[in-house]
Amino acid sequence: MNIPTIVLFTTLLAPISVVSAQETTGTPGSPSATTTIPGNQLPAPQPPFGGKITDDALSSKPWWAPRIVPPAKAPNVLLIITDDSGFGMPSTFGGVIPTPTMDRVAENGLRYNRMFSTALCSPTRAALITGRNHHSAGFGVISEQSTGFPGYNSIIAEDKATIGRILLDNGYATSWFGKDHNVPAFAASQAGPFDQWPTGLGFEYFYGFIGGDANQWQPNLFRNTTQIYPFDGKPGWNLITGMADDAIAYMNRIHQIQPDKPIFIKYAPGATHAPHHPTKEWVDKISAMKLFDGGYNKLRETIFENQKKLGVIPADTVLTPWPDELLTPWDKLDAETKKLFIKQVEIFAAYAAYSDYEIGRVIQAFEDLGKLDNTLVIYINGDNGTSAEGGPMGTPNEVAFFNGLNKLPVEVQMKWYDVWGTEETYNHMSAGWSWAFDTPFDWFKQNASRLGGINQNMVVMWPDRIKDKGGLREQFMHVIDVVPTILEAAGIQEPDMVDGIKQSPIEGTSFLYTFDKENAKAPTRHTTQYFEMMGQWALYKDPWLLSTKVNRAPWEAFGAANPDPLNNQEFQLYDLSKSWNQAEDIAAENPNHVKWLKEVFIEEAKKYQVFPLDASVAGRIVAPRPNITAGRTEFVYTTPMVGLPQGDSPGLLNASYTITADITVPEGGAEGMILTSGGRFAGYGFYLQDGKPTFLWNLVDLERIKWQSPDALAPGQHTIEFDFKYDGLGAGTLAFNNMSGLGRPGTGVLKVNGKEVQTIEMKKTLPMILQWDESFDIGSDTLTGVNDADYKPPFTLTAKLNKLTIKVDRPELSEADIKKLEDAMKGADDAK
């Protein structure tokens, strides 16, 4: 009988350290022997050989190194984080959208009403998996906005091992399902490197998508590092169910192979980030409930009263005013606008309820395996506040927002009314609903200085450990606190060295102490925390919160940026022990506090790589990065290829370019895609339609400009060319805080065998981005097509592709251009 040694450990405050006695089982050197490890060095050093070696095997004694296992009773861990969801969304915290899974966890565990995020997706997720602040982990902004500074380069450095890596080397099975927004946009192709993918960060198994969001009907989906298409031939397939199915299959697989091996799952559904893509079943359920017919102002009041009744906010909380100047009050909207807005929010709500249901299936799978009692479930509602990136009007196509079209008229949007939320839309809702779903706070995702952007909520369940079922916890905590909490729960040491690299200390503070009922009202152990996002910032120092006044709504992303975001601000001050939701600004009465807290923010910013502050938003999307196309102006392809992501493909926006295809048409003619990038919601395609050379620009599904030869190509070899001359100054103007070089007109010419067949002037071009979850494909078209009226994917090219050449000619600023831009920038600074 093998009896484990007694576990002895002590816990310290952040960063957590666990000092454990080594646990061993089995006869040392036998194949069945196991051991825990000190954990200070990963991977654990190979122990010295404990057997005996002579000249022959018969007189020698074999010896096996013990298998590494976690400490006895280390729990399974299910870490759930949803997307773009504010405090007032789930029913668990007063919302009207039913979230029975979150309710179940809360009723069998604890509610937390002061869990904080960073205000944006990638940054929160980097902090969540590393236990370090988002700038420390290289994610000051999302990966698509990365710049060449340590706090903003979107690279999780090797001295910041993730929770996946730490648990893996301590004997856990580790996995990641759903959204991964922490691969640098310039390292997302099949050329790698893959060290920043989940499998390179310590997650043995990955099933999900790379990037900020994905079409849930036809996602850019990966298993580990291989793109997969499980939806092909399966109408109605949806990733929200697909990833739950895969997670449950993974759990069963691990359990059957090794029942005693603890499982760690990071579970990150795309919901409720746009596009909002629920199944019809859930749309019908929510629509029948008539939750939103009273409008967003009434919704906000209802949620607020529910929150008070539940006791998840203080009874004396005062609701901040509705921003009439920013968001039109419901009673001022016409009937058609109300009809559209109700459709938008019902689809959002269906998506949220659908996601919560599928999360429930995963939790139930732990119970079905008999593992739930010793499973630590951490369910965080939102990686930031509710998104307002649909703008005040909402949109049928989020890609339009990222190209500056953020207020599409109702009559335009109504063309998609009957298909809202289906594969024909990349939809988002009116920001009025987003404001309501952030109740009792105000503002949104992106707003790091307002609680509506950063104050999430969370529920935690661990039946074997948490006995205060249904309890509420109000201590301040941040997503960086999750890693040290998991480590303390598992009895695992924070490593000093990983792969021979000295680790930077974990910056979070364990909140395991709050699991005990006697600590329900204990003071918070996380007393200081900075916040910063795109030039808006705040500093929490218990109980104070210094905030910069919001100077830009999230949909206002395309103007000149604040050149001095550290100082060029209006400051607000709150005592959160008295003004729980930032309702009472006391900055004017406390100038010394404002000065002191600003100094503390500067100290924190220096410590955690926050400088240099940058208030630009859209401009950073097109900033140069070290992708595999950097510095290249010519690209040559000779064989079909699909799946190259936008961040690693030749960029044609804001530039002149020439695309030349040398093809051979067989007898009987040919059709199919030569080259495409993007898809149904923005992109371009170069193809043969009924044998006719065709080039098409899809301008965010609102307009399509099409060049086409009048004649089909005869059998034989042909050269077809599309030449585009751009009339703007290009992305170089961004260096002068000026976006005038982007999205300018240009003229395209289609040529066949050297002869011009059609010339069209484009009055406007896409300034920022194509559809990011669709790839650059040669020889066929994956996922969605750029023009459903012309073809259906994969639209494989039936001609022989001999050679495809892309030449890009980016504008260069003249001395006169630079002088003019410098003068304009100086004038703007003087005006401020």
Side-chain angles (χ1 to χ4, degrees):
M1 180 177 179
N2 298 323
I3 301 175
T5 61
I6 297 173
V7 184
L8 301 173
F9 62 89
T10 58
T11 60
L12 306 174
L13 298 188
I16 184 168
S17 177
V18 178
V19 182
S20 303
Q22 190 171 19
E23 301 174 23
T24 61
T25 65
T27 303
S30 71
S32 62
T34 70
T35 186
T36 59
I37 59 175
N40 60 313
Q41 180 179 337
L42 301 179
Q46 184 73 11
F49 180 70
K52 176 184 177 183
I53 298 176
T54 66
D55 292 346
D56 61 273
L58 291 177
S59 59
S60 299
K61 182 181 179 181
W63 187 91
W64 291 95
R67 178 168 50 90
I68 295 172
V69 295
K73 298 185 178 180
N76 303 292
V77 180
L78 175 59
L79 175 58
I80 304 159
I81 185 162
T82 62
D83 210 326
D84 285 9
S85 183
F87 191 96
M89 190 282 288
S91 58
T92 320
F93 288 84
V96 301
I97 301 174
T99 52
T101 299
M102 196 176 198
D103 294 346
R104 174 190 180 184
V105 176
E107 289 160 6
N108 289 279
L110 301 169
R111 285 178 173 87
Y112 291 79
N113 65 6
R114 282 301 205 197
M115 166 55 78
F116 282 78
S117 69
T118 70
L120 204 60
C121 307
S122 295
T124 292
R125 292 159 189 270
L128 180 69
I129 62 174
T130 65
R132 281 85 168 184
N133 286 296
H134 60 297
H135 293 87
S136 297
F139 273 91
V141 285
I142 59 173
S143 57
E144 294 87 349
Q145 293 176 305
S146 59
T147 55
F149 299 100
Y152 299 88
N153 61 16
S154 73
I155 298 170
I156 296 176
E158 292 177 325
D159 67 342
K160 297 172 181 68
T162 71
I163 184 62
R165 176 61 194 277
I166 298 170
L167 294 183
L168 174 66
D169 281 14
N170 278 274
Y172 270 77
T174 60
S175 58
W176 182 330
F177 294 87
K179 174 173 173 174
D180 176 13
H181 206 185
N182 294 114
V183 175
F186 48 84
S189 79
Q190 292 304 288
F194 297 111
D195 59 309
Q196 297 287 305
W197 287 56
T199 53
L201 294 174
F203 297 85
E204 292 177 297
Y205 182 78
F206 171 58
Y207 178 95
F209 59 91
I210 303 296
D213 55 15
N215 180 332
Q216 299 294 295
W217 308 108
Q218 296 170 289
N220 57 325
L221 191 63
F222 291 85
R223 177 172 282 117
N224 300 324
T225 59
T226 301
Q227 193 160 9
I228 57 174
Y229 306 90
F231 43 82
D232 281 352
K234 298 177 183 176
W237 185 97
N238 190 292
L239 180 56
I240 294 296
T241 297
M243 65 181 275
D245 288 345
D246 206 82
I248 293 168
Y250 168 83
M251 293 162 59
N252 280 283
R253 188 163 63 248
I254 297 299
H255 178 73
Q256 290 190 163
I257 296 169
Q258 191 176 348
D260 62 345
K261 187 168 191 174
I263 296 172
F264 170 71
I265 293 176
K266 183 195 176 196
Y267 197 83
T272 46
H273 197 295
H276 305 147
H277 280 169
T279 61
K280 185 177 185 302
E281 172 192 3
W282 284 96
V283 173
D284 291 345
K285 285 181 181 180
I286 294 298
S287 296
M289 296 175 73
K290 302 296 182 185
L291 299 173
F292 306 105
D293 289 3
Y296 39 59
N297 296 87
K298 179 64 176 176
L299 174 66
R300 189 178 189 230
E301 295 167 3
T302 298
I303 293 172
F304 187 59
E305 291 307 312
N306 289 347
Q307 290 170 339
K308 287 190 173 183
K309 289 175 184 175
L310 283 173
V312 295
I313 66 173
D316 60 354
T317 305
V318 176
L319 198 58
T320 56
W322 184 264
D324 290 359
E325 73 290 350
L326 192 73
L327 299 167
T328 304
W330 188 258
D331 60 7
K332 299 281 177 48
L333 300 175
D334 61 49
E336 190 79 343
T337 302
K338 290 179 179 179
K339 179 182 177 181
L340 172 66
F341 284 7
I342 290 171
K343 169 71 81 169
Q344 292 173 352
V345 73
E346 286 182 347
I347 299 297
F348 169 86
Y351 194 30
Y354 172 34
S355 179
D356 180 81
Y357 171 81
E358 295 294 340
I359 290 169
R361 290 181 56 223
V362 176
I363 293 175
Q364 184 61 41
F366 274 103
E367 183 166 27
D368 293 344
L369 292 172
K371 292 179 177 286
L372 188 59
D373 285 350
N374 194 32
T375 296
L376 171 59
V377 179
I378 300 174
Y379 185 162
I380 302 172
N381 171 56
D383 53 3
N384 40 244
T386 315
S387 172
E389 289 159 1
M393 302 302 294
T395 180
N397 183 4
E398 188 196 21
V399 187
F401 158 76
F402 284 99
N403 282 288
L405 300 172
N406 52 25
K407 294 182 181 179
L408 295 180
V410 171
E411 59 269 23
V412 172
Q413 297 196 51
M414 288 299 289
K415 297 175 184 177
W416 286 273
Y417 181 85
D418 291 332
V419 293
W420 205 273
T422 72
E423 62 181 11
E424 295 183 46
T425 60
Y426 215 87
N427 50 304
H428 209 320
M429 64 185 174
S430 163
W433 300 116
S434 306
W435 193 281
F437 285 127
D438 287 344
T439 305
F441 311 119
D442 53 30
W443 290 93
F444 318 97
K445 169 186 177 180
Q446 294 191 29
N447 299 125
S449 61
R450 298 300 297 182
L451 297 181
I454 56 177
N455 197 148
Q456 314 303 133
N457 43 45
M458 172 179 73
V459 292
V460 176
M461 176 175 73
W462 183 6
D464 276 354
R465 176 71 164 77
I466 297 174
K467 304 305 179 183
D468 185 21
K469 294 183 178 182
L472 176 69
R473 299 294 185 265
E474 301 179 84
Q475 292 89 349
F476 179 100
M477 52 195 64
H478 190 276
V479 289
I480 62 174
D481 299 336
V482 171
V483 166
T485 303
I486 293 172
L487 293 180
E488 184 175 7
I492 289 174
Q493 168 77 35
E494 172 188 347
D496 298 321
M497 301 283 289
V498 177
D499 295 330
I501 296 170
K502 176 70 175 174
Q503 294 295 290
S504 69
I506 287 176
E507 294 160 5
T509 304
S510 171
F511 55 82
L512 192 77
Y513 69 97
T514 66
F515 291 3
D516 298 324
K517 188 172 184 177
E518 58 267 27
N519 289 328
K521 299 295 183 181
T524 183
R525 297 181 181 181
H526 190 143
T527 57
T528 303
Q529 180 63 48
Y530 80 90
F531 299 89
E532 190 279 333
M533 191 57 60
M534 294 179 286
Q536 299 179 60
W537 56 268
L539 188 283
Y540 166 77
K541 193 159 184 66
D542 188 26
W544 305 101
L545 183 71
L546 176 68
S547 305
T548 59
K549 184 177 181 180
V550 176
N551 53 25
R552 176 189 64 80
W555 56 87
E556 297 168 346
F558 296 88
N562 180 353
D564 184 12
L566 178 63
N567 302 301
N568 186 22
Q569 302 278 8
E570 181 177 340
F571 294 105
Q572 299 170 322
L573 180 66
Y574 304 91
D575 180 347
L576 294 185
S577 67
K578 299 176 181 177
S579 181
W580 198 82
N581 64 336
Q582 286 181 298
E584 183 183 1
D585 176 14
I586 55 174
E589 303 96 288
N590 296 276
N592 289 336
H593 275 71
V594 171
K595 181 180 178 182
W596 163 57
L597 291 169
K598 181 182 177 184
E599 291 172 353
V600 176
F601 172 82
I602 292 171
E603 293 172 5
E604 297 292 289
K606 289 177 179 177
K607 186 188 305 182
Y608 298 121
Q609 302 187 153
V610 181
F611 292 128
L613 292 181
D614 186 345
S616 63
V617 185
R620 277 192 270 186
I621 293 176
V622 292
R625 296 180 184 87
N627 66 11
I628 56 180
T629 70
R632 296 175 62 187
T633 59
E634 183 172 348
F635 306 85
V636 178
Y637 308 92
T638 57
T639 60
M641 177 185 72
V642 299
L644 188 62
Q646 299 297 331
D648 279 322
S649 62
L652 305 185
L653 301 185
N654 307 306
S656 298
Y657 53 89
T658 303
I659 305 173
T660 306
D662 179 344
I663 61 174
T664 300
V665 176
E667 292 296 328
E671 67 168 9
M673 184 60 64
I674 299 169
L675 168 67
T676 183
S677 191
R680 179 178 291 131
F681 304 103
Y684 62 85
F686 194 17
Y687 50 95
L688 301 181
Q689 182 188 10
D690 298 326
K692 300 175 183 179
T694 305
F695 195 93
L696 181 139
W697 263 108
N698 172 357
L699 302 181
V700 295
D701 203 26
L702 297 175
E703 180 183 5
R704 286 172 171 80
I705 301 176
K706 183 176 179 178
W707 294 255
Q708 189 170 66
S709 171
D711 303 314
L713 295 178
Q717 189 170 357
H718 300 275
T719 299
I720 56 178
E721 177 183 299
F722 183 74
D723 182 71
F724 187 81
K725 292 292 185 289
Y726 181 66
D727 294 336
L729 294 178
T733 63
L734 294 173
F736 301 90
N737 203 11
N738 188 307
M739 301 187 71
S740 65
L742 310 183
R744 307 303 297 170
T747 301
V749 180
L750 179 64
K751 301 177 183 178
V752 178
N753 297 321
K755 179 183 177 182
E756 296 184 9
V757 296
Q758 189 169 22
T759 299
I760 299 176
E761 181 185 2
M762 293 179 69
K763 301 296 185 183
K764 52 185 175 295
T765 57
L766 295 180
M768 306 304 303
I769 196 168
L770 306 184
Q771 185 182 345
W772 45 82
D773 66 337
E774 297 260 2
S775 57
F776 176 96
D777 298 331
I778 297 169
S780 64
D781 190 354
T782 55
L783 306 184
T784 66
V786 292
N787 192 17
D788 293 336
D790 283 358
Y791 69 92
K792 300 296 182 187
F795 201 41
T796 303
L797 181 65
T798 57
K800 181 179 184 297
L801 177 65
N802 302 313
K803 186 179 181 181
L804 176 69
T805 305
I806 301 174
K807 294 182 179 180
V808 184
D809 182 14
R810 303 201 173 282
E812 293 188 10
L813 299 177
S814 68
E815 291 186 7
D817 293 331
I818 292 171
K819 178 68 166 58
K820 186 175 180 180
L821 290 163
E822 287 176 338
D823 290 346
M825 185 168 64
K826 185 176 184 300
D829 290 347
D830 290 344
K832 291 180 179 179

